[in-house]
Amino acid sequence: MVETSDIRVVRCGGSKVNLTPPIISSDSRFVLCTSGDLVKVYSTRTEEWLHSLQGHTNQVTGITLNPANHLQVYSCSVDGTVKLWDFIDGILIKTFVIGCPLFAIYVSEKHTGVLFLHVSMATDSKNECFQLVSVHLPKSAEQEVEAKEMSAVSSHISKNPSCTAFGRGGEYIAFARHLQLNVYFFRKQKTYSFSLKATDKKGAKNAFTCIACHPTDDCIATGHEDGKIRLWRNFIHKKEYTYSTQHWHHNAVNTLCFTPEGTHLLSGGIESVLVQWQYGAGNRKEFLPRLGGSILHISASSDGQLFCTSHSDNKITVIESSFKVCGVIQGLVKGDAVLTDLMIDPRSKALVLNGKPGHLQFYSLLRDKHLYNLDIVQQEYIYEAGLDQFEVVKAAFDIKGSWLATVEERGKKSSDLEFFLKLWAFDERTQSFVLNTTITAAHTDRIISMCFSSSEETTMLVTAAEDSQFKAWCQGADADTQQDQNFWSCDFVGSYHKLNPTNCSFSADSSLLAVSFQEVITIWSPDTWEMLTTLCQPPGVIRDLCFGRLSCSKYLLGTTTKNLLCCWNLLTCELEWSTSVDVSKLQPDPFSENVAAFSYQSKHTDLFVFKPSEPRPLFTNKNVCSEKVHRAVFVPREEPLNSCDESTQWLNRSQLYFLTQNMDLLTFSTATEEDRMLSSSKQLVIDDSVAVTPFYLLLGKHRQQQQKLNTQSHPVSDKPQQTQGSVTIKELLHTPAHVLPAASVLCSMFVNSFLISNTGVQQDPLREEMDSEKEEEDSEEEMEACDSQQELRAQGSVDEVTPKLSKAQERELKRVRKTDFSWMAGLIDSKP
Amino acid sequence: MCLFCVPMPYIRCVVWIMSVWMWKSPEVLLYCRCSEGREPVFISDMASFKPTKVQFLPKLGEKVTEDTLYWKNYKSPVQIKEFGAVTKIDFSPLAPHNYAVTASTRIHVYGLHSQEPIRSFTRFRDTAYGGSFRGDGKLLVAGSEEGLIRLFDISGRVALRQFTGHSKAVHVTSFLSDGFRVVSGSDDLTFRVWDVPSAVELSSITEHTDYIRALAPSKLNPDLFVTGSYDHTVKVFDMRSGSSVMTMQHGHPVECVLLYPSEALLVSTGGRYVKIWDLLKGGQELVSLKNHHKTVTCACLSSVGNKLLTGSLDRHVKVYNSSYKVVHNFDCDASILSMAVAPDDEVVAVGMTNGVLSVRHRKHKKDKETLTSRRRRGPSYRVFVKGKNFVPRQDDFLVSKPVKQYLRKYDKQLKSFEVSKALDTALQTWTRTSKPEVTVAVIIELNRRGTLKNALAGRNEESLTKILNFLLKHIFDPRFSRPLLTVGDIVLDLYRQVLHQSPVVERQLQRLMEVLGREAELQQELLQVLGILDTLFASLTPRKEVAALAALPVDQGPQLQAA
């Protein structure tokens, strides 16, 4: 067993961005949100991810702007530290070590140098007791400071961070827990508490869910589990308090937020409707419906121009004050459960899994960016708790990515199960999937497994269902329809002794189909639909099934529920080997013979990577994570690594991603890969406009000189020096031919330069043109430089550099040349 | 058991045996096709309401082909009442294509579009039979019950010639293709050839041993004709040899014979069978068709594409394509005795035992256009396309207008969660009757939203009868039965206490119970038949040994590649 140090498990993109309320910078240019152990900074205009604040070692649980300096932000984390950042440049300014896990952070302008934090009473983890403490920040110049001055404001507070809020000018702090609202007045050092009855007459649930305090008025707004919003007033007197009730939400109010001027109150809940209540005007309200998942947090910018809502489908929506959505920041949607397998779209190489309800999401792992959602169910989603709606439960791509099969299902709880099998064709024109066939009753019971045949010529879909049948679907198998042949219909129905199938799989060349029926694996020939043989290894039902690839294509692997991993030789139809491992997921690599097996034993998951032909695993990693792994996928690399180390060789052509039960997407990264990434990022840092091609090196050097000169004389001016230009051309002509780009690339430029001299115009236009061309290249190079992975390859190829001019453009150029630029010459002569 | 999930040969067999029953199975698989390409759905359209999806479920069974479209393109039939059973219809080969209808003691000649006879020949003392035109359309010959054969001029009234000689009823008469001779077949087992100018009998041949009821002269050779008789034989006669040259055994009393225009193929009908014979191969049987379930009495050919049509006592006219598959079916009110198709398939005339002549005319595009042009009133096309084809100049600043989403009324109501109103809208008479799938789609949508019970609750007698009527009509339709059964359950649950207060609703529920009971019985029988079929198929499939293990087709290609 090789215990490797150079392969490590990395948490990769797609962590939650909706855990805490996002904050908008005071100039409304940035949105900050927590994402795993990072704080991400997005632009509000372009929705692009600008950079991240990296430094915490555990989940970041709260961020807030520094009231003393609006360019700084505090963040707190479960690792027990509070960090102060300059978020525009992404610099860590200070670290305050608190020492115990922190769950939320609050600040107030009145209390400078004091932070209010949610701290868990660490005594026992079972009954979660949270405490609100205030921490005085020590003033010292050091980077890392220990803050020890803690004083408890209140013990026993709700663990929900939105149940705590600062009142007008920081004079009091309000927090709620279950049915009790507490207000702590800093001046009096006293807590008043007001409680509601457990249920009123109609059986409504009165528990508090969120709190917001009016910025200028003595008013506390509270949201309740039954959807009511109560506005509390006059709570300065313990007995004579009053409250008014407003009701629109039909389920719990998740969040409340006052606008900075206090003119409006925003509320949101599971309905995914942002409601704007006019403060002091009773029931007048505005709605913004269908925002996405249920609203978890709302925040407003300090000038009141922008609102941000974060949604349960891992999304942040930026909304203008005129109630128009102006931006969406979408993370990887993981929801409560990933029902489909993790898949790779063969065309875009994007990770595909079920996303927001009724949709498949396409997520680019390389760029860590959500690409788009494909609406599978095509029905209006009703945001209502406990409503049983259609969910995408199965999906499969064919090998070329031109067909997609999906199964959507409804009614898991009730007896009548409804499901549809849909087949989608890829449309080249719209570059998206288009619905081709809907099959309303493909089977009489739930579809368990689904796979496409992997051959190039004919596509065939096999579905196995709990009605003890498996069916093969073909395109246009029904010969009687004369019009359009491109719909799918059933080709074959197979069953084996009325046993329920558990899995199905095609061999790499799709000459064989394996369908497992409980304990028995049946092998079929898809051409004739003849059952060739059966394989069986009695104890335990077959769980996973996969064929070996390439040189191991004669092997069939299967795992059983009785902790057995078996490998059959299909040539002899005998068991080649078997071991006793509890395999929770078996994932073959489509580009090599390797198979990855995740096994769950004694509260941690181990990974084995092996070839079916060899008894010894290639790679073993004990304790990959502490949860069970049910979904994994091999993602092809853009560019293969060439590591020779035996333990990392299996990662050369593809990368293994897996999803734990806690919905963490993890992957393995090797030392070589990290080196490469590091080097590329260094290169980027050192020089953005670093030369990429020899030609560019040549011109780029001069450009830098030019820029220097320009900055010396007049920074904004674009006019080049005449002598400089001629030197460039001279050097170009004197360079050895083997480092120059192809003559065809340079030819047109040179011919053009001759043309100009013929028209009798002075040399300046040529220079200008040269310059503009260089600039074009420049921008191209910058774009290329962004793609750090591509860089090495780009160095090899030269011919993409000069853009070809179309005829119209050339004509335009000529026209420009013919115009008289002599006035410019005068200008240039006069200036320096 | 689903219909489409089992392999096709199996299905065809099932359908063959129980053509209609199968559609009643509730688990029949239904296909829905996405008719229009949906635009890709990106995040941008999240703010719009997604309208209720109406599933377009095509009816199973009939496949739409060009043939079916062609034969569907007839207007509803014109009914003309005759005095007795219509035994023969013959179209004049000349341009106006009038047709002679032989019924009872008369022969009427109708124009193509008139419903009143242009001319009638009434000088028969007894029932007339087999009135048929000569090749130039100027003479008409007809036999009769008393054994006389009469020859009429189309423009005259009185018979030009009378041929006497048959001792029994003459059912079939016809001109030979030279136009100077008439051939007739009679119940006295003879057929005779008559000379028209001199009105004398040229020859009399007795070869059949039973009544002669079918006759078809050759159009290419004036000496050839085909006869069919109740003695189960079809014979080809050549007048030059004076005897039969070919005999074919049909196996049933022959009702009608027909020659294809090429005269290489011969059609004979009798019993429930239609048989096609190849004359060039010496009378070999080509196909035997059994698509009717009663005696096939008549056959004719369409002039476009020579499609075969057969009419039968089972009240159906079937149209076959060139590979002899039924492509279309005309239904009639009574048993069919005679049928004819006008040249260019303009008219299909069918005569029946109850004396009704039903005439179908072809639809023409022109008729449709005049209809629609009359109907359209309101703003002209120009109003709608105004500004649509304006091409902006290059440097124009474009301000795009948001595309307005048009929603149906029920969708608007669903959008604002007015569930009862949405159901009411979907149950409006027009939607309910002509587009039941829309109503059902709304019901499914309400069920999905969990608000079907709310929508059905609190209704008065009038609106409840609407729902129950809809259930009665569609509950056994396999496309709709599943959601409608839920509706039925909910209605019963909701209104159990108050049902007896309204006799109307009570009666409807009684009927619903009857319908469902019948349906359940049918299902049970169906399952029994399926069980029988399963055993049959199981016994048919040959038992195979498990293939030799070494012969597994694991290919060596990938191995080489890897090496």
Side-chain angles (χ1 to χ4, degrees):
Chain A
M1 301 279 143
V2 205
E3 191 55 51
T4 48
S5 54
D6 54 349
I7 294 188
R8 62 189 196 95
V9 181
V10 180
R11 197 180 294 262
C12 77
S15 43
K16 277 190 176 178
V17 295
N18 58 0
L19 193 76
T20 58
I23 53 174
I24 307 172
S25 67
S26 54
D27 53 357
S28 298
R29 279 171 57 209
F30 306 106
V31 177
L32 286 85
C33 62
T34 62
S35 162
D37 40 15
L38 307 176
V39 176
K40 285 190 174 176
V41 182
Y42 291 92
S43 156
T44 52
R45 290 280 159 75
T46 62
E47 306 141 34
E48 284 293 319
W49 173 31
L50 300 175
H51 54 257
S52 52
L53 312 178
Q54 210 165 351
H56 282 290
T57 53
N58 207 333
Q59 177 73 50
V60 181
T61 48
I63 43 173
T64 179
L65 285 176
N66 185 359
N69 183 350
H70 64 83
L71 295 178
Q72 293 177 348
V73 66
Y74 283 113
S75 67
C76 71
S77 158
V78 183
D79 64 3
T81 56
V82 173
K83 287 181 195 267
L84 182 65
W85 309 84
D86 179 344
F87 62 84
I88 293 178
D89 299 325
I91 301 165
L92 175 63
I93 298 171
K94 251 182 190 176
T95 306
F96 303 101
V97 181
I98 309 292
C100 49
L102 311 172
F103 294 99
I105 186 167
Y106 308 95
V107 290
S108 154
E109 274 182 45
K110 206 186 168 194
H111 308 267
T112 44
V114 182
L115 296 177
F116 293 86
L117 297 162
H118 268 198
V119 176
S120 164
M121 305 246 282
T123 48
D124 55 342
S125 58
K126 268 188 188 166
N127 44 349
E128 288 166 329
C129 272
F130 289 88
Q131 233 178 359
L132 183 68
V133 296
S134 62
V135 176
H136 285 271
L137 299 177
K139 286 196 172 113
S140 81
E142 283 172 61
Q143 264 278 329
E144 198 163 314
V145 192
E146 276 197 44
K148 289 287 177 200
E149 271 182 77
M150 273 205 275
S151 59
V153 177
S154 166
S155 51
H156 299 291
I157 57 158
S158 162
K159 68 167 187 174
N160 182 357
S162 55
C163 278
T164 308
F166 268 102
R168 172 169 66 94
E171 280 180 13
Y172 54 88
I173 188 165
F175 41 92
R177 184 164 179 266
H178 300 314
L179 291 161
Q180 200 169 38
L181 171 69
N182 301 303
V183 185
Y184 177 80
F185 293 93
F186 289 105
R187 196 173 294 161
K188 295 185 207 164
Q189 301 269 327
K190 255 186 193 169
T191 309
Y192 288 171
S193 61
F194 315 97
S195 58
L196 292 167
K197 281 178 215 150
T199 50
D200 62 6
K201 286 166 217 155
K202 285 173 187 167
K205 291 168 279 182
N206 275 334
F208 287 91
T209 53
C210 54
I211 282 188
C213 293
H214 197 275
T216 55
D217 208 355
D218 272 337
C219 173
I220 300 173
T222 58
H224 297 264
E225 229 165 77
D226 56 351
K228 282 189 181 122
I229 295 171
R230 289 193 169 87
L231 293 170
W232 301 73
R233 289 194 181 80
N234 214 12
F235 44 81
I236 297 158
H237 312 287
K238 198 166 182 178
K239 290 279 156 66
E240 293 139 25
Y241 68 92
T242 59
Y243 65 78
S244 58
T245 310
Q246 285 167 338
H247 200 171
W248 183 86
H249 295 276
H250 64 75
N251 272 89
V253 184
N254 280 343
T255 176
L256 286 169
C257 174
F258 275 104
T259 54
E261 290 86 16
T263 51
H264 293 98
L265 172 66
L266 300 163
S267 68
I270 193 177
E271 307 88 352
S272 186
V273 181
L274 182 66
V275 187
Q276 190 181 38
W277 308 79
Q278 209 166 337
Y279 181 70
N283 250 340
R284 279 170 63 184
K285 50 192 177 284
E286 274 185 78
F287 305 104
L288 185 60
R290 280 182 280 281
L291 286 172
S294 59
I295 298 176
L296 298 179
H297 308 285
I298 304 173
S299 52
S301 69
S302 58
D303 56 356
Q305 287 306 303
L306 288 179
F307 307 129
C308 257
T309 55
S310 64
H311 300 264
S312 60
D313 55 352
N314 208 6
K315 185 171 81 169
I316 295 173
T317 314
V318 184
I319 298 161
E320 283 173 14
S321 57
S322 57
F323 254 46
K324 246 189 213 165
V325 175
C326 65
V328 175
I329 298 161
Q330 175 82 58
L332 181 65
V333 189
K334 281 180 286 198
D336 306 326
V338 172
L339 302 163
T340 62
D341 268 332
L342 297 182
M343 282 163 301
I344 295 298
D345 176 19
R347 279 175 195 265
S348 61
K349 303 281 182 281
L351 180 72
V352 180
L353 64 161
N354 65 325
K356 61 178 194 173
H359 289 67
L360 271 188
Q361 60 178 333
F362 289 67
Y363 195 86
S364 167
L365 286 167
L366 267 181
R367 289 186 286 150
D368 191 14
K369 198 177 172 195
H370 185 92
L371 297 180
Y372 69 97
N373 280 323
L374 182 69
D375 189 357
I376 301 293
V377 172
Q378 298 180 342
Q379 272 176 343
E380 177 79 359
Y381 188 79
I382 310 294
Y383 293 97
E384 196 182 309
L387 193 60
D388 192 10
Q389 307 200 56
F390 278 107
E391 284 284 358
V392 185
V393 291
K394 290 270 180 302
F397 282 97
D398 79 334
I399 194 162
K400 283 179 284 183
S402 50
W403 288 100
L404 165 69
T406 59
V407 177
E408 64 209 56
E409 207 174 85
R410 187 180 95 91
K412 275 163 233 158
K413 293 147 212 161
S414 60
S415 56
D416 53 347
L417 177 84
E418 282 180 69
F419 63 93
F420 294 106
L421 173 63
K422 282 181 178 171
L423 286 135
W424 305 74
F426 189 81
D427 187 11
E428 292 283 349
R429 196 173 52 79
T430 56
Q431 290 291 308
S432 175
F433 285 94
V434 178
L435 186 60
N436 180 276
T437 311
T438 306
I439 302 162
T440 51
H443 286 271
T444 49
D445 211 335
R446 175 176 300 135
I447 293 177
I448 288 175
S449 173
M450 179 163 77
C451 62
F452 270 102
S453 79
S454 33
S455 75
E456 297 267 334
E457 304 94 53
T458 54
T459 38
M460 182 190 286
L461 177 72
V462 169
T463 54
E466 278 177 350
D467 59 353
S468 74
Q469 283 177 333
F470 75 90
K471 291 184 183 180
W473 306 85
C474 269
Q475 202 186 0
D478 186 4
D480 282 355
T481 32
Q482 288 172 4
Q483 292 170 327
D484 352 30
Q485 289 282 314
N486 55 349
F487 294 107
W488 290 70
S489 52
C490 186
D491 186 43
F492 177 73
V493 181
S495 61
Y496 183 79
H497 291 296
K498 297 277 175 202
L499 289 173
N500 268 355
T502 53
N503 213 326
C504 59
S505 171
F506 269 103
S507 68
D509 57 350
S510 68
S511 62
L512 291 178
L513 168 70
V515 184
S516 59
F517 290 93
Q518 302 295 342
E519 298 177 357
V520 187
I521 300 174
T522 55
I523 310 282
W524 304 73
S525 151
D527 299 329
T528 56
W529 289 118
E530 209 179 338
M531 194 168 80
L532 300 171
T533 185
T534 58
L535 304 166
C536 187
Q537 191 67 25
V541 174
I542 304 288
R543 198 193 276 152
D544 263 330
L545 202 60
C546 74
F547 280 91
R549 297 191 180 251
L550 304 175
S551 65
C552 300
S553 58
K554 63 180 174 185
Y555 296 108
L556 173 68
L557 291 162
T559 62
T560 66
T561 50
K562 289 280 190 295
N563 304 347
L564 214 57
L565 172 63
C566 306
C567 176
W568 285 276
N569 187 337
L570 289 173
L571 294 177
T572 59
C573 289
E574 276 169 359
L575 190 69
E576 190 91 357
W577 52 264
S578 70
T579 68
S580 173
V581 197
D582 180 17
V583 177
S584 60
K585 175 72 190 172
L586 194 67
Q587 183 68 32
D589 182 2
F591 299 95
S592 65
E593 300 96 335
N594 304 327
V595 178
F598 289 93
S599 90
Y600 184 71
Q601 269 169 343
S602 58
K603 295 199 172 173
H604 61 86
T605 297
D606 303 332
L607 169 71
F608 303 98
V609 180
F610 59 94
K611 279 186 189 178
S613 55
E614 287 174 31
R616 214 174 66 96
L618 290 172
F619 172 76
T620 314
N621 194 341
K622 297 268 181 195
N623 204 351
V624 173
C625 58
S626 55
E627 303 99 18
K628 242 182 178 177
V629 173
H630 279 297
R631 317 270 176 214
V633 70
F634 275 98
V635 182
R637 283 188 196 274
E638 289 256 296
E639 173 183 8
L641 295 177
N642 34 14
S643 119
C644 313
D645 190 4
E646 198 202 351
S647 62
T648 57
Q649 226 167 8
W650 63 280
L651 282 171
N652 273 0
R653 302 182 69 179
S654 45
Q655 210 172 351
L656 180 64
Y657 284 81
F658 58 98
L659 196 71
T660 64
Q661 272 181 330
N662 284 5
M663 299 293 133
D664 289 322
L665 191 63
L666 305 175
T667 187
F668 290 94
S669 86
T670 61
T672 41
E673 195 182 0
E674 273 164 25
D675 283 350
R676 183 188 290 183
M677 271 173 76
L678 209 66
S679 65
S680 68
S681 62
K682 254 184 202 159
Q683 216 173 351
L684 278 177
V685 171
I686 292 163
D687 193 356
D688 294 33
S689 59
V690 76
V692 179
T693 63
F695 182 55
Y696 188 76
L697 264 172
L698 207 64
L699 290 179
K701 204 163 47 178
H702 285 287
R703 197 178 153 68
Q704 275 167 27
Q705 285 173 12
Q706 248 174 58
Q707 274 174 346
K708 268 179 213 154
L709 280 171
N710 282 351
T711 42
Q712 278 162 17
S713 51
H714 34 259
V716 205
S717 157
D718 274 334
K719 274 166 235 123
Q721 274 74 14
Q722 212 162 351
T723 47
Q724 278 286 333
S726 57
V727 167
T728 315
I729 289 173
K730 205 181 279 171
E731 189 150 339
L732 186 73
L733 291 174
H734 285 236
T735 323
H738 64 274
V739 295
L740 272 180
S744 61
V745 179
L746 294 172
C747 178
S748 64
M749 205 172 83
F750 269 93
V751 170
N752 281 346
S753 73
F754 292 136
L755 273 178
I756 291 155
S757 62
N758 277 358
T759 52
V761 184
Q762 291 182 353
Q763 278 234 308
D764 316 78
L766 165 74
R767 291 288 313 118
E768 231 167 42
E769 186 209 329
M770 287 282 294
D771 206 37
S772 70
E773 226 166 39
K774 265 190 285 174
E775 261 166 14
E776 264 179 49
E777 283 158 19
D778 204 358
S779 60
E780 247 185 51
E781 290 311 325
E782 266 166 14
M783 269 159 61
E784 273 182 20
C786 293
D787 214 340
S788 58
Q789 298 278 344
Q790 291 266 351
E791 214 162 25
L792 284 171
R793 196 185 294 168
Q795 260 174 358
S797 66
V798 208
D799 32 9
E800 311 161 327
V801 177
T802 341
K804 285 239 168 86
L805 293 177
S806 71
K807 272 210 175 133
Q809 279 174 318
E810 213 138 75
R811 219 173 295 135
E812 182 71 21
L813 255 175
K814 266 182 201 161
R815 196 179 58 75
V816 169
R817 270 179 214 128
K818 269 175 198 157
T819 50
D820 193 52
F821 279 103
S822 49
W823 55 273
M824 208 144 167
L827 262 178
I828 292 162
D829 290 341
S830 66
K831 265 231 169 136
Chain B
M1 183 72 204
C2 322
L3 203 58
F4 267 65
C5 317
V6 291
M8 276 327 276
Y10 187 83
I11 268 303
R12 284 205 193 95
C13 195
V14 174
V15 173
W16 189 263
I17 293 165
M18 23 192 303
S19 54
V20 189
W21 281 18
M22 216 35 216
W23 315 129
K24 306 246 172 193
S25 166
E27 283 158 1
V28 162
L29 173 78
L30 300 164
Y31 275 81
C32 145
R33 282 168 187 186
C34 184
S35 50
E36 80 275 54
R38 257 175 194 280
E39 62 274 13
V41 188
F42 293 110
I43 311 163
S44 57
D45 66 343
M46 79 186 164
S48 61
F49 178 83
K50 286 174 199 157
T52 310
K53 199 170 45 171
V54 178
Q55 284 196 335
F56 167 64
L57 299 166
K59 277 188 184 163
L60 284 177
E62 273 184 43
K63 300 267 160 55
V64 178
T65 57
E66 261 179 47
D67 281 325
T68 45
L69 288 179
Y70 181 83
W71 289 105
K72 260 197 183 149
N73 197 18
Y74 281 93
K75 295 175 195 167
S76 51
V78 177
Q79 309 271 4
I80 301 167
K81 182 75 184 155
E82 291 286 341
F83 292 99
V86 180
T87 52
K88 173 85 182 172
I89 302 169
D90 191 30
F91 274 92
S92 159
L94 277 199
H97 301 304
N98 297 335
Y99 56 98
V101 177
T102 314
S104 182
T105 58
R106 291 149 203 253
I107 296 176
H108 290 302
V109 178
Y110 291 92
L112 262 194
H113 295 284
S114 71
Q115 292 177 38
E116 290 297 314
I118 299 172
R119 193 165 297 282
S120 52
F121 303 99
T122 52
R123 299 291 172 94
F124 293 96
R125 248 163 260 127
D126 211 332
T127 316
Y129 292 114
S132 54
F133 283 101
R134 194 165 81 164
D136 58 358
K138 284 179 180 163
L139 294 180
L140 183 86
V141 69
S144 71
E145 185 70 41
E146 70 230 291
L148 275 177
I149 299 159
R150 291 182 174 83
L151 188 84
F152 297 95
D153 184 9
I154 276 302
S155 50
R157 242 167 216 290
V158 190
L160 290 180
R161 299 277 188 279
Q162 281 199 1
F163 307 113
T164 46
H166 281 298
S167 57
K168 279 187 178 167
V170 180
H171 274 263
V172 282
T173 55
S174 180
F175 285 96
L176 287 175
S177 58
D178 59 3
F180 304 125
R181 286 177 291 176
V182 168
V183 63
S184 63
S186 161
D187 287 358
D188 61 3
L189 313 185
T190 63
F191 62 88
R192 297 169 198 234
V193 182
W194 314 84
D195 185 37
V196 173
S198 58
V200 292
E201 183 185 314
L202 294 178
S203 64
S204 161
I205 305 167
T206 315
E207 284 201 12
H208 283 294
T209 54
D210 207 336
Y211 297 161
I212 297 166
R213 286 291 161 89
L215 177 69
S218 154
K219 292 229 166 59
L220 303 180
N221 189 333
D223 291 320
L224 274 184
F225 57 88
V226 186
T227 60
S229 154
Y230 277 6
D231 63 358
H232 301 191
T233 58
V234 176
K235 286 179 191 282
V236 181
F237 285 94
D238 190 348
M239 282 312 294
R240 291 165 294 194
S241 70
S243 64
S244 69
V245 290
M246 213 181 274
T247 305
M248 285 147 284
Q249 286 294 334
H250 182 82
H252 291 270
V254 179
E255 294 282 352
C256 174
V257 289
L258 183 70
L259 274 170
Y260 267 75
S262 65
E263 300 192 353
L265 295 180
L266 171 72
V267 182
S268 66
T269 71
R272 294 162 62 193
Y273 292 89
V274 177
K275 293 192 175 180
I276 320 283
W277 312 87
D278 192 344
L279 291 182
L280 297 183
K281 280 188 184 170
Q284 196 184 20
E285 184 182 314
L286 208 63
V287 216
S288 172
L289 306 170
K290 195 180 145 192
N291 292 94
H292 290 282
H293 58 264
K294 280 188 184 167
T295 306
V296 185
T297 51
C298 51
C300 64
L301 288 174
S302 78
S303 45
V304 177
N306 288 328
K307 301 281 155 45
L308 179 67
L309 288 88
T310 56
S312 149
L313 294 179
D314 66 0
R315 307 178 187 181
H316 295 298
V317 175
K318 308 236 173 203
V319 184
Y320 302 81
N321 63 10
S322 41
S323 54
Y324 300 109
K325 279 202 176 139
V326 176
V327 290
H328 193 67
N329 189 18
F330 293 110
D331 291 343
C332 296
D333 308 328
S335 302
I336 297 160
L337 288 181
S338 57
M339 176 178 57
V341 179
D344 301 328
D345 298 344
E346 279 301 300
V347 175
V348 176
V350 175
M352 285 169 282
T353 46
N354 61 355
V356 172
L357 175 72
S358 115
V359 185
R360 282 163 218 262
H361 292 272
R362 241 188 123 60
K363 272 185 213 161
H364 287 285
K365 269 190 186 163
K366 230 193 312 179
D367 306 346
K368 213 185 259 175
E369 270 169 22
T370 52
L371 263 178
T372 51
S373 66
R374 214 178 299 141
R375 199 177 293 160
R376 203 173 66 203
R377 285 273 185 277
S380 68
Y381 178 67
R382 263 192 305 170
V383 175
F384 292 108
V385 296
K386 195 166 65 181
K388 282 275 165 63
N389 45 10
F390 175 77
V391 183
R393 257 172 278 145
Q394 202 174 8
D395 43 355
D396 278 353
F397 183 73
L398 287 175
V399 181
S400 60
K401 202 172 74 174
V403 182
K404 202 181 168 190
Q405 192 190 15
Y406 289 98
L407 293 175
R408 305 229 160 243
K409 198 176 171 192
Y410 55 82
D411 271 334
K412 277 182 195 156
Q413 283 155 342
L414 281 175
K415 192 180 170 186
S416 50
F417 292 86
E418 294 169 317
V419 286
S420 288
K421 278 188 191 165
L423 187 60
D424 282 336
T425 315
L427 278 169
Q428 273 170 353
T429 323
W430 186 81
T431 325
R432 194 175 63 199
T433 49
S434 61
K435 282 188 176 169
E437 61 266 18
V438 171
T439 315
V440 174
V442 171
I443 287 172
I444 291 172
E445 173 70 15
L446 288 172
N447 191 24
R448 186 181 71 87
R449 290 172 170 228
T451 47
L452 185 55
K453 200 165 186 174
N454 304 8
L456 286 168
R459 287 179 179 268
N460 55 9
E461 186 183 80
E462 190 190 354
S463 59
L464 198 60
T465 22
K466 257 190 201 174
I467 294 170
L468 287 173
N469 272 332
F470 186 74
L471 287 188
L472 270 175
K473 199 170 171 194
H474 295 288
I475 202 160
F476 44 82
D477 190 332
R479 299 179 293 168
F480 307 140
S481 59
R482 203 171 256 206
L484 291 187
L485 281 173
T486 345
V487 172
D489 280 348
I490 293 174
V491 165
L492 282 182
D493 282 351
L494 284 172
Y495 298 98
R496 189 183 296 151
Q497 308 296 326
V498 290
L499 275 181
H500 58 273
Q501 291 171 8
S502 157
V504 185
V505 172
E506 216 169 352
R507 212 177 308 130
Q508 274 177 323
L509 281 174
Q510 284 285 346
R511 276 178 58 204
L512 195 62
M513 202 172 75
E514 281 168 32
V515 165
L516 287 176
R518 241 181 290 144
E519 188 65 26
E521 274 172 38
L522 208 65
Q523 293 287 332
Q524 204 173 354
E525 281 178 56
L526 200 78
L527 284 173
Q528 284 169 2
V529 175
L530 277 176
I532 296 167
L533 279 177
D534 271 344
T535 46
L536 280 176
F537 278 113
S539 64
L540 272 177
T541 41
R543 241 167 232 289
K544 264 189 193 168
E545 293 300 310
V546 172
L549 303 176
L552 273 177
V554 176
D555 66 333
Q556 304 293 315
Q559 287 187 22
L560 291 175
Q561 211 178 315

